[in-house]
Amino acid sequence: MSALAKLPASDPRSREAATTLPVYGQLPFVPERATGCDIITTDGHRILDLYGGHAVAALGYGHQRLVKAISEQSTKLIFQSNAVALEVRARAAENLVRIAPDDLSRVFFVNSGAEANENALRMACIVTNRKKILAITQGFHGRTAAAGAVTWNSDKWYGFPQQPFDVDFIPRDDCDAAVKMIGQDIAAVIVEPVQGVAGAYDLSHEFLTTLRDSARRHGALLIADEVQSGMGRCGQFFAVQAHEVIPDILTSAKGLGGGIPCGAVLCNEDIAPHFGPGDLGTTFGGGPVAAAAINAVIDTIESENLLHNVRQREAQIREHCITGPVQKIQGMGLLLGLVCDRPAVEVRNALLQHDILTGTSADPNVLRILAPLVLESGHIDHLAHALESMAPNTY
Ligand SMILES: Cc1ncc(COP(=O)(O)O)c(C=O)c1O
């Protein structure tokens, strides 16, 4: 009998199984509410959330600044489209431009990571009038037509009869291949500076600067997909800032709204004149509640010094969590991959027995930490003790 069959018919797991498409493997608990970094489940467990809803809960749960901002904004004006200008949207765009890498001075608001990448790729084809995109092996960029086309190994779920443009993949961290492959026919190179779904694999500084320089030399655009690595998660607002690499286009989503769905495409002033009324668009992008959330997330990261907190917590994890099944740690900030001596899913399940939630990744041996940026020192002690209690594999 399956685990689901044993659940009462009133359990949300049985009801979702009966009414939604069965496309997600679900965890064996049902959250009722959450506060700080803790999820409280319907059966009364308090689970330390080091996964943050796929890296979305940047400020954890119930952060007063975020809750107040979205509740006040929804009382005042819950929605208006881009057919009108809004004070709160203007402030969100100004805030994003202020924290972004130098030169990225224009914003186009969207609703998700895939939509941000879809538009970034479209923009690159329009601006360069070229038809070929380069992506990086093991990269993930989303499940829409263009974003899926530049995602490594998407054949298993891509589903569309054809791709919107030619795509080739540069082997990750292979600078020679990058130099050879980037030429006059390339519209853009899209790269996650830290490959999230791949297991928080941090691409080398040399590789990222090679992509930047080669793209510039051949008139191709560099698109940094910071959907997972951005908004403070890597200890800078954006991971490319740690490398002093300035892309032509940068995409953001996930933590951007701290839980309110939103995304953004940022680009430089050379790109902006290629676009006029009607060239890009979306109904919900830059809506007032999303914009209020973006402002609250940025204000909080700055006023609570969360970039510093992320760097400190990263150092603490690196110092104390190479223990038990963990052999080494990759990644940056609180986008970390714990490389294990056994399947990561086993370690994830064992940690759940200690009421700690982590994530797996496309690499079967890498466990992912995508904790809220408000993570505290005591949380890491809890993780380290739980890992320590699991004996290393001796075979
Ligand atoms: C780097 C990266 N880009 C794009 C996406 C797609 O974002 P969304 O699920 O919001 O469409 C993801 C999602 O995991 C991601 O990690």
Side-chain angles (χ1 to χ4, degrees):
M1 198 162 51
S2 79
L4 267 179
K6 286 188 221 143
L7 293 168
S10 60
D11 190 289
R13 283 167 284 186
S14 327
R15 285 157 49 213
E16 284 197 20
T19 52
T20 64
L21 284 181
V23 295
Y24 299 110
Q26 292 193 322
L27 292 160
F29 63 86
V30 177
E32 190 173 73
R33 59 201 161 81
T35 172
C37 294
D38 290 341
I39 296 172
I40 318 297
T41 67
T42 45
D43 58 1
H45 279 260
R46 178 178 284 268
I47 296 179
L48 171 61
D49 184 4
L50 301 181
Y51 192 62
H54 299 314
V56 166
L59 305 184
Y61 302 96
H63 195 292
Q64 274 315 298
R65 212 165 174 140
L66 178 61
V67 171
K68 187 164 176 281
I70 59 183
S71 55
E72 284 182 2
Q73 184 58 52
S74 46
T75 306
K76 207 156 81 178
L77 175 67
I78 197 163
F79 190 71
Q80 271 297 313
S81 75
N82 291 281
V84 289
L86 299 174
E87 163 64 28
V88 68
R89 185 191 300 127
R91 200 147 25 90
E94 286 158 3
N95 272 330
L96 272 173
V97 164
R98 179 169 55 74
I99 63 166
D102 289 348
D103 293 0
L104 300 187
S105 51
R106 297 283 179 155
V107 184
F108 174 60
F109 287 112
V110 292
N111 304 286
S112 68
E115 192 189 0
N117 287 331
E118 198 82 6
N119 280 285
L121 292 160
R122 180 206 316 268
M123 288 164 70
C125 293
I126 291 172
V127 169
T128 60
N129 199 22
R130 297 176 183 176
K131 295 187 173 124
K132 184 165 179 184
I133 303 287
L134 293 178
I136 314 301
T137 58
Q138 274 83 29
F140 183 89
H141 301 287
R143 290 175 179 264
T144 50
V150 291
T151 288
W152 178 248
N153 239 347
S154 62
D155 331 1
K156 16 181 207 192
W157 48 259
Y158 188 68
F160 295 102
Q162 65 194 46
Q163 298 181 343
F165 38 62
D166 292 339
V167 185
D168 225 338
F169 290 89
I170 305 174
R172 71 177 178 192
D173 273 345
D174 187 337
C175 295
D176 293 341
V179 169
K180 279 193 200 113
M181 291 170 75
I182 301 173
Q184 301 290 332
D185 57 333
I186 302 301
V189 182
I190 184 165
V191 59
E192 299 164 84
V194 182
Q195 296 185 312
V197 172
Y201 181 91
D202 44 317
L203 292 170
S204 73
H205 175 75
E206 196 194 355
F207 184 65
L208 292 170
T209 50
T210 301
L211 295 183
R212 174 60 289 175
D213 295 346
S214 297
R216 185 173 288 125
R217 200 168 323 118
H218 294 287
L221 302 184
L222 181 66
I223 302 172
D225 175 350
E226 295 246 18
V227 166
Q228 193 165 146
S229 58
M231 291 310 290
R233 176 152 299 285
C234 289
Q236 304 280 341
F237 266 107
F238 295 101
V240 285
Q241 289 164 321
H243 293 281
E244 294 181 9
V245 163
I246 301 180
D248 302 288
I249 301 179
L250 180 149
T251 56
S252 176
K254 289 199 186 273
L256 178 63
I260 297 293
C262 54
V265 184
L266 286 97
C267 68
N268 63 33
E269 285 296 332
D270 294 339
I271 293 174
H274 291 266
F275 297 91
D279 290 342
L280 303 172
T282 173
T283 297
F284 285 109
V289 177
I294 294 171
N295 291 329
V297 169
I298 294 175
D299 286 352
T300 307
I301 291 175
E302 290 183 320
S303 64
E304 295 187 7
N305 210 0
L306 293 182
L307 299 181
H308 179 68
N309 188 57
V310 167
R311 294 194 290 263
Q312 283 197 318
R313 300 289 79 84
E314 175 191 6
Q316 197 185 345
I317 292 173
R318 286 186 184 279
E319 186 177 351
H320 298 290
C321 294
I322 303 188
T323 179
V326 180
Q327 297 182 310
K328 72 171 190 167
I329 295 178
Q330 61 195 25
M332 206 191 241
L334 289 176
L335 172 44
L336 292 176
L338 275 47
V339 184
C340 299
D341 63 8
R342 66 199 77 175
V345 70
E346 281 179 26
V347 182
R348 199 245 349 241
N349 293 345
L351 286 172
L352 259 187
Q353 298 299 314
H354 293 262
D355 285 336
I356 298 174
L357 176 62
T358 51
T360 53
S361 71
D363 184 327
N365 278 36
V366 176
L367 190 75
R368 241 180 330 157
I369 303 281
L370 303 169
L373 315 187
V374 294
L375 191 71
E376 294 167 18
S377 171
H379 296 136
I380 296 171
D381 295 339
H382 185 22
L383 172 66
H385 288 143
L387 288 169
E388 239 165 61
S389 72
M390 291 174 220
N393 249 347
T394 44
Y395 54 83

